[in-house]
């Protein structure tokens, strides 16, 4: 039972990045990574000894032949224009996308079972994911890990924009960590503070990665990420002063004993001489990293060194602002979406994509998944940039089948420099059967976020070298070339009202409609089976009785 | 006759041209009373756009036209307005012609009957004189061209107008006596929307009557002709369906068009009875009621054919009316088709009992449809029940209209055989009842 496959070594790293935002809010991004060189998909030998890698996820991977799994639960919407680009983007609600191994024969069956199992693991209602909200994007979600499969039959993507994230989802997520919530950075993850924030997103990303540059050996990487943005006014009481205690109501006491590296990075790029804010305790360790197309400087706190915690055995980072920060650098790619029109019959979806680069044009891939009950009319699709028609070079459109699959629209649009591109498409709202409405039908129906994926030209050369000790936040997305970096922007989800029938009326409707049909039937029946006859008035009752008696007596009858 | 007809055509063209160019055209083409998921122009354009994108138009649930429509519109989509302008004239000229054909036939029949003393003496006033029948074709033309329903349907570019044209052409060929053309056109009409299948019986009865073959199931001549006609019909249907298969290379259009008509998955409100009924239906009973409602359209054929086997032209009118009322996605264009034939039975006016009520109901409902739709969908102050109620009333009015004309027709036939002024046994004036 304790036989370990030789070379099956697992290691765990944790890190926290604190980035003060220009609006006064503060962004904290946790990443917990477990690397394990084993092969879940090997037929010959079942993996049975789990150490740092959670067993529930390992069993899920091997049972459903999953090659890559990305699941995220987000509360709130990431405001790109005020906060910049996040390290790990995620749409509001729940999002799940999975690449299956190409040995799988029934991908839909595996997908259905996988969503139900994950629903149990994360205590979320992922069982609402079915074929009516699952799509197979052809270009937008390429594998983030190893694998050269481009057959999108093995990819499934679904979002649940209505999903709410709460403590019930955080607890099982924390349980997957090697140290649980007892030691290391995860002691900071207390739900009463985490959910009292502007943005909260927790995710699990599993993918196969290379161990070294030549990719001689592969390993499975499990990354659990938690991004949270604390608001200046609701959490910070209006004072521009942040500390770990203020944010999380806890301080750090020790590193996780199972971790090989446990670090806290504080972004001090805007504070080179210390004139903007003061960071205490001071640390001599500095690190530079190129992330999201920018070279950022970080103060590093290495929690594996005992002197970090001082005499009180607690580390509470404190950032105190001295002056006002200047303007934020505008993010190069930004997108918005809204519904136009009035009434419950038709509408228009407008997606606006901004390219804020001063002189470079670059293409973006826009993916829209619209539920079947909003019938899109693709002949009304218009893409305009700078008030001129901009024809997309690649359009992949899969129309919806009522009650079977949603619309999928993917387009490659070239964005001119320093411009706004508007994509509009008209839709019609369908009347559903009365059992298909949600319990509160007048709340409306959610349409999942659009995904804009692009390789944005970078101002600074990106690091394409493979180094083992790269900070986690800069190694999430593989960098293929120096001059650009990958960005994924999610737009707002939409809330659309549909016309509703009267839910109290089924019996009445059946009766009334059948009455009208019966009136038709009755009139035709009468006219078809009866003939015209002269109406002989019938005798009154008294005379009829008298006739009866007369007949018995044998006497002539009355007229 | 030519001058008033020309004037009528000019007026009708003017009205349609004016409406086409105005901003009302777009408004009308969105109205659910005028277009349905089966024949909306927006969906035809969408289907063609999907074809351009390389996706089969039948892969989604937006396009429900037959492949021959794709063929037709692929080349004429830019001239769509002209196509839709021409089709009502087509229908109308045909109706005109067939009204005059019918008239000639009626005269012939009356002459024979008179000469053989078949009519009782006092019902001479029931007979139709050439003078009163002179203007019937013009009236039919007027009823069709100037009917607001037709104008709306034409301006909305609903393909219902084309379907009506095919049915009118079929009736024309039937009355002309050409069994081959009639069979082919009936197959085309059935291919477009399944319901004209019920017109097979009246067409067959007409030909049998024309060829003096008695309708007797034991006679071999009856079966001989029936099989011939059925063969023409089924053969052309098979050929047309085969041609459609070769257009897109797949049988996808069958579930998309015919499966759609029969299983009613789309519950977009229209003037029919299906949409709200199936929106509020328990899932368990859905299949049962779909079958009931669809059988309801077809099962009047045999009883009506038995009752009206001497009068196939009226039978055609009855069948078209029943189809328009009980089909799964009716529009006002379908209503306009059978209403165009009403002037041909203007001699029945004295026997109609409810004509005032019916016309009031139909007028009121036509006015209330857009009002209650606006209140439900745009203002939000009414709900779907209001629109549903008007739907019920409109269909009730139509049923009343059709059964009233049926009653009047049967009554006139009764009078023609038994005399107009009937007396009871004691000599007083009698009333006639259905017993």
């Amino acid at each position: 039972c304790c036989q370990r496959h030789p070379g099956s070594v697992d290691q765990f790293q944790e890190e926290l990045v604190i980035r003060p935002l220009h609006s006064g809010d503060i962004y904290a991004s946790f990443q917990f990574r477990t690397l394990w060189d084993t092969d879940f998909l090997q037929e010959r030998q079942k993996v049975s000894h789990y150490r740092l890698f959670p067993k529930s996820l390992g069993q899920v991977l091997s049972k459903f032949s999953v090659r890559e799994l990305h699941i995220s639960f987000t509360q709130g919407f990431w405001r790109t224009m005020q906060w910049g680009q996040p390290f790990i983007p995620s749409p509001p609600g729940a999002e799940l996308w999975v690449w299956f191994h190409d040995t799988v024969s029934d991908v839909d069956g595996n997908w259905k079972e996988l969503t139900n199992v994950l629903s149990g693991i994360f205590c979320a209602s992922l069982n609402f994911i079915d074929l009516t909200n699952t799509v197979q994007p052809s270009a937008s979600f390429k594998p983030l890990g190893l694998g050269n499969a481009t057959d999108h039959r093995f990819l499934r993507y679904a979002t649940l924009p209505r999903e709410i994230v709460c403590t019930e989802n955080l607890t099982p997520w924390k349980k997957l960590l090697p140290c649980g919530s007892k030691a290391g950075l995860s002691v900071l993850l207390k739900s009463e503070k985490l959910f009292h924030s502007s943005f909260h997103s927790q995710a699990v990303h599993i993918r196969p990665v290379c161990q070294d540059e030549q990719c001689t050996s592969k390993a499975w990487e499990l990354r659990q990420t938690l991004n949270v943005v604390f608001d200046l006014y609701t959490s910070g009481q209006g004072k521009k002063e942040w500390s770990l205690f203020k944010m999380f109501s806890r301080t750090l006491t020790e590193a996780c004993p199972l971790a090989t590296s446990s670090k806290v990075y504080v972004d001090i790029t805007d504070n080179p001489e210390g004139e903007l804010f003061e960071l205490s305790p001071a640390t001599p360790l500095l690190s530079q990293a190129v992330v999201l197309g920018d070279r950022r400087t970080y103060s590093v706190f290495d929690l594996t060194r005992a002197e970090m915690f001082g005499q009180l055995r607690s580390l509470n980072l404190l950032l105190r602002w001295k002056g006002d920060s200047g303007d934020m650098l505008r993010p190069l790619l930004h997108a918005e979406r809204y519904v136009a029109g009035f009434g419950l019959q038709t509408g228009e979806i407008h997606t606006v994509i901004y390219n804020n680069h001063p002189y470079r044009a670059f293409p973006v891939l826009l993916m829209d998944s619209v539920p079947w009950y909003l019938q899109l009319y693709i002949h009304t699709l218009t893409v305009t940039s700078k008030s001129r028609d901009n024809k997309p070079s690649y359009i992949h459109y899969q129309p919806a089948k009522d009650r079977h699959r949603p619309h999928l629209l993917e387009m490659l649009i070239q964005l001119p420099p320093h411009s706004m591109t508007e994509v509009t498409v008209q839709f019609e709202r369908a009347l559903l059967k009365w059992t298909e409405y949600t319990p509160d039908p007048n709340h409306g129906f959610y349409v999942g976020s659009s995904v804009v994926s692009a390789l944005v030209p970078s101002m600074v050369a990106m690091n394409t070298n493979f180094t083992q000790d790269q900070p986690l936040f800069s190694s999430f997305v593989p960098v293929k070339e120096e001059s650009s970096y990958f960005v994924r922007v999610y737009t707002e989800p939409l809330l659309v009202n549909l016309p509703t029938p009267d839910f109290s009326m089924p019996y009445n409707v059946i009766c009334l409609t059948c009455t009208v049909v019966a009136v038709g039937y009755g009139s035709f029946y009468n006219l078809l089976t009866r003939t015209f006859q002269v109406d002989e008035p019938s005798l009154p009752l008294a005379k009829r009785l008298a006739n009866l008696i007369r007949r018995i007596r044998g006497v002539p009858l009355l007229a | 006759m030519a001058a008033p007809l020309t004037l009528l055509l000019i007026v009708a063209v003017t009205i349609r041209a004016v409406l086409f160019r105005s901003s009302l055209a777009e408004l009308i083409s969105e109205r659910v009373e005028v277009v349905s998921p089966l024949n909306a122009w927006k969906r035809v354009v969408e289907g063609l756009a999907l074809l351009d994108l390389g996706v089969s138009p039948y892969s989604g649930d937006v396009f429900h036209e037959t492949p021959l429509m794709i063929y037709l519109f692929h080349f004429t989509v830019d001239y769509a307005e002209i196509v839709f302008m021409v089709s009502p004239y087509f229908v109308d000229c045909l109706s005109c012609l067939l009204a005059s054909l019918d008239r000639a036939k009626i005269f012939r029949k009356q002459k024979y009957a008179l000469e053989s003393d078949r009519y009782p003496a006092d019902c001479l006033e029931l007979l139709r004189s050439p003078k009163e029948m002179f203007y019937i074709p013009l009236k039919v033309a007027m009823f069709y061209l100037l009917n607001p329903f037709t104008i709306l349907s034409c301006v909305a570019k609903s393909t219902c107008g084309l379907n009506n044209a095919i049915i009118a052409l079929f009736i024309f060929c039937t009355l002309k006596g050409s069994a081959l053309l009639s069979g082919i056109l009936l197959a085309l009409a059935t291919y477009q929307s399944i319901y004209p299948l019920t017109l097979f019986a009246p067409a067959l009865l007409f030909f049998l009557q024309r060829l003096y073959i008695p309708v007797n199931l034991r006679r071999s001549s009856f079966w001989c002709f029936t099989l011939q006609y059925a063969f023409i019909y089924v053969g052309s249907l098979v050929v047309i369906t085969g041609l459609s298969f070769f257009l897109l290379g797949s049988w996808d259009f069958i579930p998309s068009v015919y499966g759609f008509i029969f299983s009613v998955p789309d519950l977009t409100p229209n003037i029919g009875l299906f949409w709200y009924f199936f929106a509020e239906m328990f899932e368990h009973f859905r299949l049962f009621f779909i079958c009931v409602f669809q059988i309801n359209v077809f099962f009047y054929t045999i009883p009506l054919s038995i009752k009206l086997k001497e009068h196939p032209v009226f039978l055609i009118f009855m069948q078209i009316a029943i189809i328009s009322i009980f089909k799964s996605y009716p529009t006002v264009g379908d209503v306009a088709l059978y209403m165009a034939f009403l002037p041909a039975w203007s001699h029945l006016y004295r026997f109609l009992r409810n004509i005032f009520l019916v016309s009031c109901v139909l007028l009121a409902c036509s006015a209330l449809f857009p009002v209650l739709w606006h209140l439900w969908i745009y203002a939000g102050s009414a709900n779907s029940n209001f629109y549903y109620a008007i739907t019920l009333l409109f269909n009730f009015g139509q049923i009343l209209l059709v059964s009233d004309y049926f009653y009047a027709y049967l009554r006139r036939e009764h009078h023609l055989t038994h005399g107009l002024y009937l007396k009871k046994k004691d000599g007083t004036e009698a009333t006639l009842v259905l017993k």
Side-chain angles (χ1 to χ4, degrees):
Chain A
C1 76
C2 295
Q3 264 191 344
R4 277 185 22 192
H5 185 67
S8 125
V9 165
D10 48 7
Q11 51 163 310
F12 175 67
Q13 292 156 303
E14 55 178 17
E15 89 182 15
L16 162 65
V17 179
I18 298 181
R19 187 166 101 191
L21 300 169
H22 278 257
S23 52
D25 310 323
I26 194 150
Y27 171 33
S29 171
F30 292 82
Q31 282 207 36
F32 303 92
R33 179 173 87 157
T34 308
L35 260 185
W36 193 18
D37 9 326
T38 183
D39 198 355
F40 287 112
L41 303 176
Q42 235 181 4
E43 295 295 317
R44 291 173 274 120
Q45 190 201 33
K46 252 181 76 130
V47 175
S48 52
H49 187 94
Y50 290 87
R51 196 174 75 107
L52 297 176
F53 202 97
K55 184 172 177 183
S56 48
L57 289 181
Q59 287 180 325
V60 160
L61 292 179
S62 47
K63 179 154 191 240
F64 300 112
S65 309
V66 170
R67 214 179 69 216
E68 253 188 60
L69 183 133
H70 300 270
I71 184 167
S72 72
F73 299 95
T74 311
Q75 177 83 346
F77 180 67
W78 182 268
R79 295 171 214 288
T80 314
M81 289 306 272
Q82 284 143 305
W83 300 339
Q85 295 281 7
F87 292 122
I88 319 255
S90 52
E95 185 202 39
L96 171 67
W97 57 283
V98 173
W99 273 96
F100 288 93
H101 211 249
D102 39 12
T103 55
V104 173
S105 52
D106 178 18
V107 184
D108 284 329
N110 274 24
W111 171 251
K112 190 166 166 55
E113 286 184 36
L114 176 65
T115 49
N116 279 290
V117 166
L118 288 174
S119 165
I121 294 177
F122 291 105
C123 291
S125 23
L126 298 174
N127 52 319
F128 284 124
I129 294 179
D130 55 15
L131 289 173
T132 60
N133 49 20
T134 307
V135 286
Q136 300 175 35
S138 63
S140 299
F141 285 91
K142 293 280 182 236
L144 283 178
L146 277 184
N148 48 2
T150 47
D151 190 354
H152 61 100
R153 283 181 300 128
F154 295 102
L155 168 65
R156 293 290 184 274
Y157 174 86
T159 57
L160 291 172
R162 206 180 172 138
E163 188 69 15
I164 299 176
V165 190
C166 59
T167 316
E168 229 176 50
N169 308 114
L170 182 63
T171 315
W173 187 90
K174 280 197 289 187
K175 277 209 200 127
L176 297 171
L177 295 170
C179 279
S181 47
K182 309 244 177 4
L185 291 172
S186 42
V187 297
L188 296 177
L189 302 177
K190 291 298 161 199
S191 46
E192 62 264 15
K193 280 295 196 174
L194 278 183
F195 290 104
H196 194 65
S197 57
S198 301
F199 178 84
H200 169 98
S201 170
Q202 63 200 49
V204 171
H205 301 275
I206 305 177
R207 58 184 177 169
V209 290
C210 288
Q211 289 273 56
D212 51 23
E213 192 103 26
Q214 285 78 32
C215 216
T216 45
S217 65
K218 301 193 192 103
W220 279 90
E221 181 194 73
L222 161 71
R223 274 194 202 225
Q224 287 179 256
T225 65
L226 194 138
N227 292 342
V228 60
V229 174
F230 292 104
D231 186 62
L232 174 65
Y233 296 101
T234 51
S235 306
Q237 287 109 41
K239 261 177 65 176
K240 275 190 101 167
E241 183 186 298
W242 290 105
S243 70
L244 281 185
F245 191 78
K246 198 172 183 189
M247 292 196 281
F248 303 106
S249 69
R250 290 286 185 284
T251 58
L252 292 167
T253 49
E254 55 168 340
C256 174
L258 300 167
T260 53
S261 119
S262 176
K263 293 198 168 90
V264 178
Y265 294 84
V266 181
D267 189 335
I268 54 168
T269 321
D270 303 320
N271 191 33
E273 316 296 324
E275 74 278 3
L276 188 60
F277 60 83
E278 182 199 315
L279 173 62
S280 64
T283 173
L285 279 175
L286 286 178
S287 149
Q288 282 214 339
V290 181
V291 61
L292 297 171
D294 203 9
R295 175 163 283 119
R296 314 289 296 182
T297 316
Y298 296 91
S299 281
V300 182
F301 294 82
D302 190 351
L303 300 178
T304 49
R305 289 169 44 193
E307 61 266 20
M308 275 289 134
F309 298 100
Q311 290 221 316
L312 298 167
R313 297 265 284 272
S314 114
L315 172 64
N316 183 20
L317 296 172
L318 189 62
L319 291 91
R320 201 179 282 118
W321 262 259
K322 293 195 275 207
D324 253 331
S325 49
D327 280 329
M328 188 181 74
L329 208 67
R330 274 161 64 117
L332 293 178
L333 181 65
H334 170 54
E336 287 173 347
R337 192 164 71 146
Y338 56 90
V339 174
F342 61 95
L344 293 176
Q345 192 179 3
T346 53
E348 246 182 38
I349 298 181
H350 290 241
T351 312
V352 184
I353 313 175
Y354 296 90
N355 174 5
N356 294 323
H357 201 288
Y359 52 86
R360 290 280 300 274
F362 54 89
V364 298
L365 201 59
L366 171 67
M367 186 188 95
D368 248 321
S369 165
V370 178
W372 62 267
Y373 38 81
L374 301 181
Q375 293 147 348
L376 290 185
Y377 285 93
I378 209 71
H379 71 273
T380 56
L381 176 71
T382 56
V383 183
T384 44
S385 304
K386 291 182 171 168
S387 38
R388 273 207 315 254
D389 239 352
N390 179 359
K391 202 161 142 39
S393 51
Y394 167 77
I395 299 184
H396 171 70
Y397 177 59
Q398 196 187 46
K401 261 236 172 297
D402 275 3
R403 301 180 179 93
H404 284 296
R405 58 163 200 250
H407 297 276
L408 175 67
L409 175 63
E410 278 185 280
M411 294 189 289
L412 186 68
I413 309 172
Q414 185 80 1
L415 300 181
H418 206 67
S419 68
M420 178 186 96
T421 306
E422 188 160 353
V423 179
T424 59
V425 65
Q426 279 180 16
F427 65 88
E428 253 179 34
R429 305 172 205 228
L431 186 73
L432 306 177
K433 297 183 201 165
W434 71 305
T435 47
E436 288 173 345
Y437 286 89
T438 51
D440 183 9
N442 291 303
H443 178 76
F445 287 77
Y446 283 93
V447 179
S449 315
S450 296
V451 186
V452 179
S453 322
L455 279 173
V456 179
S458 166
M459 307 285 201
V460 171
M462 301 291 293
N463 184 8
T464 52
N465 296 330
F466 181 94
T467 37
Q468 271 284 18
D469 49 355
Q470 234 183 359
L472 294 177
F473 60 86
S474 60
S475 64
F476 181 65
V477 180
V479 177
K480 299 267 170 46
E481 45 167 329
E482 282 190 337
S483 56
S484 56
Y485 62 99
F486 180 74
V487 155
R488 189 170 275 148
V489 177
Y490 291 93
T491 62
E492 296 93 330
L494 301 173
L495 189 58
V496 173
N497 266 317
L498 291 182
T500 60
D502 189 343
F503 298 99
S504 60
M505 290 276 285
Y507 177 73
N508 305 11
V509 167
I510 295 174
C511 284
L512 290 168
T513 309
C514 290
T515 305
V516 172
V517 174
V519 162
Y521 175 78
S523 342
F524 286 125
Y525 177 81
N526 272 341
L527 291 166
L528 287 168
T529 52
R530 295 180 188 204
T531 51
F532 286 102
Q533 285 168 26
V534 175
D535 182 29
E536 297 294 336
S538 58
L539 295 170
L541 185 63
K543 285 204 177 173
R544 267 191 278 156
L545 282 174
N547 267 343
L548 193 63
I549 296 167
R550 281 182 173 221
R551 203 178 288 133
I552 296 169
R553 282 173 56 195
V555 167
L557 299 170
L558 287 173
Chain B
M1 260 290 282
L5 196 59
T6 324
L7 183 64
L8 181 63
L9 286 176
I10 292 174
V11 167
V13 170
T14 317
I15 297 177
R16 281 166 173 79
V18 163
L19 281 173
F20 262 130
R21 292 278 165 260
S22 73
S23 61
L24 284 176
E26 213 181 282
L27 196 73
I28 293 172
S29 59
E30 299 261 308
R31 298 250 22 117
V32 289
E33 297 92 10
V34 183
V35 298
S36 74
L38 278 177
N39 52 30
W41 177 245
K42 198 170 175 190
R43 289 176 183 246
V44 173
V45 177
E46 176 70 10
L48 293 174
L50 283 176
L51 205 59
D52 285 337
L53 270 180
V55 178
S56 161
Y58 300 111
S59 58
D61 251 336
V62 151
F63 187 72
H64 300 287
E65 299 277 356
T66 52
L68 288 185
M69 279 289 173
I70 302 182
Y71 257 135
L72 174 68
F73 284 114
H74 198 58
F75 302 110
T76 59
V77 67
D78 295 324
Y79 310 108
E81 283 181 12
I82 300 179
V83 169
F84 285 106
M85 282 264 246
V86 161
S87 58
Y89 299 116
F90 205 39
V91 179
D92 155 81
C93 295
L94 290 172
S95 334
C96 236
L97 286 168
L98 56 98
S100 47
L101 274 177
D102 193 34
R103 182 178 61 184
K105 195 174 80 68
I106 290 174
F107 285 147
R108 220 177 18 238
K109 198 167 135 192
Q110 277 183 174
K111 199 167 104 165
Y112 292 149
L114 265 177
E115 284 167 5
S116 57
D117 280 335
R118 282 234 317 260
Y119 294 136
D122 55 357
C123 66
L124 284 171
E125 60 189 80
L126 282 182
L127 294 176
R128 303 165 77 177
S129 64
K131 202 166 101 176
E132 75 181 45
M133 288 189 69
F134 183 69
Y135 279 109
I136 285 184
L138 183 64
K139 282 194 209 161
V140 167
M142 203 164 67
F143 257 61
Y144 191 74
L145 279 179
L146 297 182
N147 190 347
F149 290 157
T150 331
I151 296 178
L152 285 174
S153 188
C154 172
V155 173
K157 291 193 275 214
S158 155
T159 56
C160 186
L162 294 173
N163 294 347
N164 288 356
I166 297 175
I167 294 178
L169 197 56
F170 151 72
I171 301 175
F172 176 70
C173 292
T174 309
L175 287 185
K176 240 341 192 184
S178 159
L180 178 69
L181 275 178
S182 156
I184 294 172
L185 284 162
L186 183 61
L188 198 59
T190 311
Y191 166 78
Q192 279 291 107
S193 61
I194 301 247
Y195 298 107
L197 175 64
T198 58
L199 295 174
F200 180 81
L204 184 64
L205 285 171
F206 184 85
F207 282 117
L208 288 173
Q209 197 184 60
R210 197 166 193 275
L211 298 172
Y212 301 110
I213 300 173
V215 183
N216 190 338
L217 288 172
R218 277 170 290 191
R219 292 271 187 116
S220 67
S221 51
F222 167 76
W223 284 112
C224 196
F225 185 78
T226 311
L227 284 171
Q228 268 181 16
Y229 192 60
F231 181 71
I232 297 173
Y233 172 62
V234 172
S236 357
L237 196 57
V238 165
V239 167
I240 295 171
T241 317
L243 272 173
S244 321
F245 170 73
F246 286 119
L247 172 67
L248 286 172
S250 73
W251 294 110
D252 278 348
F253 72 96
I254 292 188
S256 233
V257 182
Y258 307 117
F260 183 80
I261 295 176
F262 277 132
S263 63
V264 194
D266 190 325
L267 298 170
T268 315
N270 49 55
I271 60 172
L273 297 165
F274 278 65
W275 64 280
Y276 207 52
F277 191 73
F278 290 104
E280 301 270 12
M281 173 56 56
F282 298 97
E283 205 54 40
H284 186 66
F285 296 107
R286 204 184 141 79
L287 183 62
F288 170 69
F289 278 106
I290 292 261
C291 295
V292 165
F293 271 55
Q294 297 290 0
I295 289 172
N296 187 44
V297 184
F298 290 101
F299 93 124
Y300 288 114
T301 312
I302 306 283
L304 277 175
S305 311
I306 294 171
K307 185 84 178 181
L308 292 172
K309 60 176 178 282
E310 318 279 319
H311 316 283
V313 183
F314 189 73
L315 181 58
I316 291 182
F317 164 74
M318 287 292 295
Q319 289 287 40
I320 293 177
I322 287 172
I323 292 172
S324 307
I325 300 170
F326 293 117
K327 71 193 289 198
S328 44
Y329 291 100
T331 60
V332 293
D334 301 305
V335 176
L337 181 63
Y338 76 81
M339 278 197 174
F341 291 113
L342 290 180
W345 326 114
S346 52
H347 59 284
L348 298 174
Y349 182 75
R350 62 189 297 165
F351 298 117
L352 291 172
R353 294 178 298 174
N354 302 322
I355 199 64
F356 176 67
L357 175 70
V358 165
S359 30
C360 286
V361 164
L362 291 178
L363 275 170
C365 289
S366 313
L368 281 173
F369 268 125
V371 171
L372 292 170
W373 177 258
H374 179 88
L375 280 180
W376 173 27
I377 297 289
Y378 293 101
S381 50
N383 67 5
S384 48
N385 291 334
F386 292 70
Y387 192 78
Y388 167 65
I390 299 300
T391 303
L392 284 180
L393 206 55
F394 188 73
N395 284 306
F396 179 75
Q398 285 186 78
I399 291 173
L400 215 54
L401 174 71
V402 174
S403 59
D404 212 15
Y405 266 92
F406 193 24
Y407 170 87
Y409 195 87
L410 289 177
R411 183 145 172 194
R412 181 174 170 271
E413 292 303 314
H414 184 264
H415 282 306
L416 280 179
T417 42
H418 293 105
L420 186 54
Y421 298 105
L422 299 165
K423 294 198 172 20
K424 285 198 287 214
K425 287 201 201 115
D426 53 6
T428 54
E429 200 179 319
T431 48
L432 212 54
V433 292
L434 275 174
K435 270 218 189 80

